[in-house]
Amino acid sequence: MWNQRIFEVLMEMDLLQRFEAYVASEKKIEPKDWMPDAYRRTLVRQISQHAHSEVVGMLPEGNWISRAPSLKRKAILMAKVQDEAGHGLYLYSACETLGVRRDDTIRDLHSGKAKYSSIFNYPTLNWADIGAIGWLVDGAAIMNQVPICKCSYGPYARAMVRVCKEESFHQRQGFQIMMTMAGGTAEQKAMAQDALNRWWWPSIMMFGPPDQDSPNSAQSMAWNIKRFSNDELRQKFIDLTVPQADLIGLTVPDADLKWNAETGHYEHGPIDWDEFKRVVAGHGPCNKERLEARRKAWDDGAWVRDAARAHAEKRASRKSDSNTAAA
Amino acid sequence: MEHKQWPLWEIFIRSRQGLSHRHVGSLHAADAEMAVENARDVYTRRQEGASIWVVPASAITASSPDEKDVLFDPADDKVYRHPTFYDLPDEVKNM
């Protein structure tokens, strides 16, 4: 009995070592392959939260579909929101390959056990917010997601390739809205500036806590789930976005922001991590509203799911009855 | 009442005539017709598809990763199955 246990532990250690060497050599893990429990748990947590973010992310934008300023903008926004639903589904499907039930994943969102990106707990107050979301929020998401296209877990990496391909239209349409408003009347420009003022800080918080406060990052990097640190990605995003704001005549709301010619990077002011923690903990402006909307959609749709299932079962049994009769 | 999940379907898309169907992912649907409709919306929003196959995930039999060696190693020492194994005189340009 004791020998058996030692044998199992040794086997596990051997498997773990081989797994880590395999992943380190840039090879991919597929669903049925052996993987350490912690690797599976990390992926389930990350992929499901990513999926939830896509789905909850439809809410702030869906808010403006009926009030888009033109038919063209409305068609574009609908296509974008539909993409977010699709992205959620690619990700739920990738998550399921790790052996979790879809319904349980969704239940964890509704119970508050699973998180989603806290950016979606901010309200969309005017049309310029739709521009700011596309430009900044989708821009930050792309920055986060591109490296995941090379993640060690095959299904997650493949889902991310599709997501990133589709996401670049999202960022461009957002920037175009901002550019149009910034070049419009003084009032329109003020709306665009106001949206930038409100979305800038939450957007750069999307990269997560600073590296020294991100204890799980090292393990995720070692497993090739994560490729760049939070601060590295944040810096890249700022370096890319500040000149875009300059180009359309808007000002990034950071008094300490300055270009450092020596490092070739922008230096930014302090980030209010207390606000970040408050929103993650459920005390942002819209946390309650978002979760309630998701729960309501799930509960209101229950009869449709049940009816469709009952209909399918009835048709299947009729088919098998007639097959039996024919035989 | 505990909701019973819709079954899982694996989705295969032919991106254009002349190519074979390729696995793109999975989705839940009550029946095959709904799986095709959902696959259209989820996997072909940008003209990625000319044809869709949906297969109940439960109907797929897969080889196990544990059998990888048994199944695929025997091909490792059969280099003579590849044309590069054969040396030809320089005079033979195309073969």
Side-chain angles (χ1 to χ4, degrees), chain A residues 27-102:
Chain A
K27 290 191 186 119
K28 302 287 182 195
I29 301 295
E30 293 296 340
K32 297 272 161 55
D33 293 338
W34 185 87
M35 60 186 88
D37 282 344
Y39 177 83
R40 187 185 300 273
R41 275 198 307 274
T42 301
L43 280 172
V44 168
R45 195 188 62 233
Q46 184 172 334
I47 301 174
S48 66
Q49 293 188 4
H50 199 158
H52 298 326
S53 302
E54 300 284 354
V55 171
V56 177
M58 294 161 75
L59 298 170
E61 293 188 296
N63 183 34
W64 280 89
I65 289 178
S66 61
R67 289 173 286 162
S70 70
L71 191 56
K72 184 180 110 187
R73 297 284 189 204
K74 183 174 177 150
I76 292 172
L77 185 57
M78 282 201 296
K80 180 180 190 298
V81 171
Q82 198 188 10
D83 271 354
E84 308 300 359
H87 297 173
L89 287 166
Y90 308 154
L91 287 159
Y92 281 130
S93 142
C95 192
E96 237 170 338
T97 64
L98 291 158
V100 290
R101 275 178 91 250
R102 174 81 57 95

Side-chain angles (χ1 to χ4, degrees), chain A residues 32-33 82-83 86-87 89-90 93 96 101-103 107 162 166 169 305-306 308-309 312-313 315, chain B residues 1-8 24-28 30-31 33-34 42-43 45-46 48 65 68:
Chain A
K32 297 272 161 55
D33 293 338
Q82 198 188 10
D83 271 354
H87 297 173
L89 287 166
Y90 308 154
S93 142
E96 237 170 338
R101 275 178 91 250
R102 174 81 57 95
D103 281 8
R107 187 167 305 137
R162 289 188 72 98
E166 300 180 356
F169 125 65
R305 294 192 298 275
D306 291 340
R309 196 187 167 91
E313 280 169 358
R315 281 222 309 198
Chain B
M1 190 187 74
E2 177 68 4
H3 164 70
K4 248 169 102 190
Q5 280 197 149
W6 287 345
L8 188 68
V24 292
S26 61
L27 51 77
H28 287 272
D31 57 24
E33 286 77 13
M34 190 195 277
V42 177
Y43 292 108
R45 288 193 303 283
R46 286 175 176 77
E48 294 97 333
K68 221 185 259 168

Side-chain angles (χ1 to χ4, degrees), chain A residues 22 25 41 59-60 69 133 142 147 206 208 243 265 278 280 283 299 304-305 311 320 324:
Chain A
Y22 182 84
S25 67
R41 275 198 307 274
L59 298 170
I133 288 182
I142 292 170
M206 279 176 71
H265 295 294
R278 267 198 311 278
V280 170
H283 308 298
D299 293 343
V304 180
R305 294 192 298 275
H311 177 69
S320 71
T324 323

Side-chain angles (χ1 to χ4, degrees), chain A residues 117-160:
Chain A
S117 183
S118 60
I119 192 85
F120 300 118
N121 292 315
Y122 291 87
T124 39
L125 303 179
N126 72 51
W127 175 251
D129 289 39
I130 299 305
I133 288 182
W135 175 36
L136 303 173
V137 177
D138 289 84
I142 292 170
M143 197 63 81
N144 265 328
Q145 287 166 346
V146 166
I148 310 177
C149 295
K150 290 170 81 183
C151 151
S152 60
Y153 188 58
Y156 192 23
R158 292 192 286 273
M160 236 2 73

